Amino acid sequence: MKPAPFHYYRADSALAAVQAAAAPDWNGNARFLAGGQSLVPALSFRDIRPAVLVDIMHCPDLGRLDLADHGLVAGARCVQSEIECSVASRAVCPLLVDALRWVALPQIRNCGTVVGSLAQANPGAEIPVVAMALNATIEIMDVEGRRETIDAGKLFANQSGTFVGPAKLLTSAYFRALRHNEGWGFAEIQLRPGHYALVCAATAVVVSEGRVAETSISVGGLNSNPYRAASAEAFTLGRDILTDTWITEAARIAVDGSPWAARADQHASAEYRQAMAIIVVRDALRSAARRAQFAPRKGHG
Ligand SMILES: Cc1cc2nc3c(=O)[nH]c(=O)nc-3n(C[C@H](O)[C@H](O)[C@H](O)COP(=O)(O)OP(=O)(O)OC[C@H]3O[C@@H](n4cnc5c(N)ncnc54)[C@H](O)[C@@H]3O)c2cc1C
């Protein structure tokens, strides 16, 4: 199918974009156009019929990629492959780079943005899961040009989607660097390469004197939004990093502790997703623990 007719506005600044989207002519029915990789198919299927698309990819003040020792900032124009292919990004935030390799296909990652994926909040998307694991923070601009920073936990606090309405622009996302004594892991089950995750997990484990000192476990695909498995994280504390007997039990607790009922769709039943979620959490946690075991890494924190 072809999209329903719409107006197109090419914004030259972040504020111009937010104000154009909020103009009364559109009756609240405006959408920001970033990489278009989710938006254009939705238009073509006529799932959505916005009155106007506000193109944000030509706004010089919506940055691309900023790297620092403490982390990386993906501006709203930063495409996924920019981080995936950067050696420096891997040194700072290898968990995000590992997850990006699971996102769609290289051609899509060349156009799709990191921030657009957070805004889209697809249930099987990988980037929101990493954002949850690393407590990423997201900057949002309103129609007055005011900027607010919220953390990923708040962005994905609802059972599905984000609480940010289409009138607010996500201007950037900050992902912290992994620390020198921190290992990471990402695992996923998908129907075939290039598909969204049926289930996936992002984990990080900090080791101190041979024991687990801190753990992050984020689970995606099981529900409409990713969640942090707080009970499982607590269960791992103080565990011996050289053994992995606690890992399977932690994975079970992580999935049992889901805040929402598991979802079912044409690809998988809720029971199948739950069983597979235990496996991906276990695998991601094992990778993180192994990497932590061989810490310290050169570099950060
Ligand atoms: C065949 C195919 C397979 C895919 N597989 C995967 C996959 O496996 N995993 C995965 O994670 N993704 C997958 N994607 C989606 C892809 O990663 C998208 O690039 C991403 O979800 C959206 O990024 P975008 O820049 O293209 O956003 P767009 O498509 O331009 O926008 C998506 C939505 O977010 C809104 N939006 C975008 N940017 C902002 C912003 N800065 N502020 C506020 N709202 C904004 C738009 O208005 C729109 O509603 C797939 C896409 C395709 C076509």
Side-chain angles (χ1 to χ4, degrees):
M1 277 177 74
K2 296 279 176 243
F6 58 83
H7 292 266
Y8 171 84
Y9 178 84
R10 181 170 160 161
D12 58 9
S13 72
L15 185 57
V18 193
Q19 291 183 338
D25 297 2
W26 319 123
N27 234 348
N29 188 18
R31 292 284 176 140
F32 297 114
L33 172 65
Q37 299 302 297
S38 296
L39 188 57
V40 172
L43 291 174
S44 297
F45 284 114
R46 300 200 175 191
D47 292 340
I48 51 170
R49 294 169 181 237
V52 65
L53 295 188
V54 178
D55 190 341
I56 59 170
M57 293 304 268
H58 305 276
C59 303
D61 58 341
L62 286 175
R64 298 186 71 119
L65 175 59
D66 270 337
L67 280 160
D69 274 359
H70 55 79
L72 65 83
V73 178
R77 292 191 306 140
C78 174
V79 296
Q80 295 153 6
S81 59
E82 212 167 334
I83 293 179
E84 178 200 356
C85 301
S86 142
V87 174
S89 297
R90 181 154 191 94
V92 172
C93 198
L95 177 57
L96 180 58
V97 174
D98 278 2
L100 283 171
R101 294 187 176 145
W102 289 88
V103 175
L105 300 166
Q107 294 87 336
I108 293 166
R109 300 197 292 269
N110 279 338
C111 299
T113 61
V114 170
V115 172
S117 175
L118 295 171
Q120 173 74 15
N122 190 290
E126 291 81 1
I127 298 168
V129 183
V130 176
M132 286 293 278
L134 296 181
N135 285 328
T137 52
I138 296 99
E139 191 187 78
I140 297 174
M141 182 186 277
D142 72 11
V143 70
E144 310 292 340
R146 285 183 298 248
R147 292 170 193 266
E148 179 195 0
T149 302
I150 59 163
D151 58 40
K154 184 168 178 203
L155 189 66
F156 301 114
N158 298 335
Q159 192 165 348
S160 67
T162 72
F163 82 98
V164 180
K168 285 194 178 173
L169 180 67
L170 275 54
T171 52
S172 65
Y174 169 74
F175 294 82
R176 72 166 174 84
L178 264 75
R179 284 158 273 177
H180 72 279
N181 55 346
E182 189 168 21
W184 73 97
F186 187 88
E188 169 163 336
I189 291 177
Q190 54 184 190
L191 279 181
R192 60 185 78 92
H195 268 230
Y196 284 98
L198 281 183
V199 284
C200 63
T203 60
V205 170
V206 175
V207 67
S208 174
E209 296 176 358
R211 302 216 161 252
V212 175
E214 206 180 305
T215 305
S216 306
I217 303 173
S218 167
V219 185
L222 187 59
N223 317 103
S224 295
N225 264 341
Y227 67 90
R228 277 286 287 269
S231 316
E233 291 173 359
F235 174 81
T236 65
L237 297 181
R239 304 279 165 187
D240 181 357
I241 200 72
L242 292 176
T243 65
D244 63 3
T245 45
W246 47 273
I247 288 180
T248 305
E249 181 59 7
R252 194 193 55 71
I253 297 171
V255 174
D256 285 354
S258 164
W260 308 294
R263 71 190 174 99
D265 58 16
Q266 71 272 33
H267 301 304
S269 65
E271 293 74 20
Y272 182 74
R273 273 206 167 82
Q274 277 172 318
M276 295 303 107
I278 294 176
I279 290 172
V280 291
V281 174
R282 184 200 65 193
D283 290 356
L285 206 44
R286 190 170 283 151
S287 299
R290 283 198 182 135
R291 284 173 170 137
Q293 196 177 318
F294 295 110
R297 287 189 307 125
K298 192 168 165 287
H300 310 279

